[in-house]
Amino acid sequence: MFDVFILIKGIILTDVLARALKEWGIFDGPRNWVKAKSSFARKLLSCYECVSVWSSIFVILYLLYFEVTIITYALCAHRLACFLHTGWEWADAARAVKEKEI
């Protein structure tokens, strides 16, 4: 039977991994080294959609064979907190614009 919860975890974890590989400063060294070695790898690491496609393969393997529940929940909580924070920033910016118009 299809489990929607696993799909949601997979989507969130894929987003975490793709953003980590593309944007997090902790991966700057390895990312820059890989980009310097191959123009193909440079193109793959420059496109969020490309990174998320092949990241999803690793996420599926992780969820099927190697999952550590506490790591999964921590990463999902982190990403959901980022979404919530972005939503609050957007709402606050919209409110500030509306107040400025008045």
Side-chain angles (χ1 to χ4, degrees):
M1 187 170 124
F2 181 72
D3 190 348
V4 174
F5 184 63
I6 291 174
L7 177 64
I8 292 170
K9 284 192 311 184
I11 292 168
I12 294 170
L13 289 173
T14 297
D15 184 56
V16 169
L17 182 57
R19 292 207 182 272
L21 293 171
K22 187 161 174 5
E23 299 172 2
W24 289 4
I26 194 169
F27 294 110
D28 282 350
R31 183 176 50 243
N32 292 335
W33 181 82
V34 170
K35 283 180 166 183
K37 296 292 180 188
S38 165
S39 63
F40 179 70
R42 186 177 323 114
K43 289 177 186 176
L44 282 180
L45 289 171
S46 297
C47 168
Y48 175 77
E49 286 81 14
C50 298
V51 174
S52 67
V53 166
W54 56 265
S55 295
S56 67
I57 296 167
F58 293 107
V59 168
I60 291 167
L61 293 173
Y62 168 76
L63 289 174
L64 291 176
Y65 301 110
F66 309 108
E67 183 176 15
V68 178
T69 305
I70 194 155
I71 292 172
T72 300
Y73 289 152
L75 290 172
C76 287
H78 153 72
R79 198 67 206 131
L80 292 172
C82 288
F83 289 143
L84 182 63
H85 177 73
T86 301
W88 279 113
E89 282 184 341
W90 179 81
D92 192 44
R95 180 196 52 78
V97 168
K98 193 170 190 176
E99 284 180 0
K100 194 174 185 180
E101 291 174 353
I102 294 177

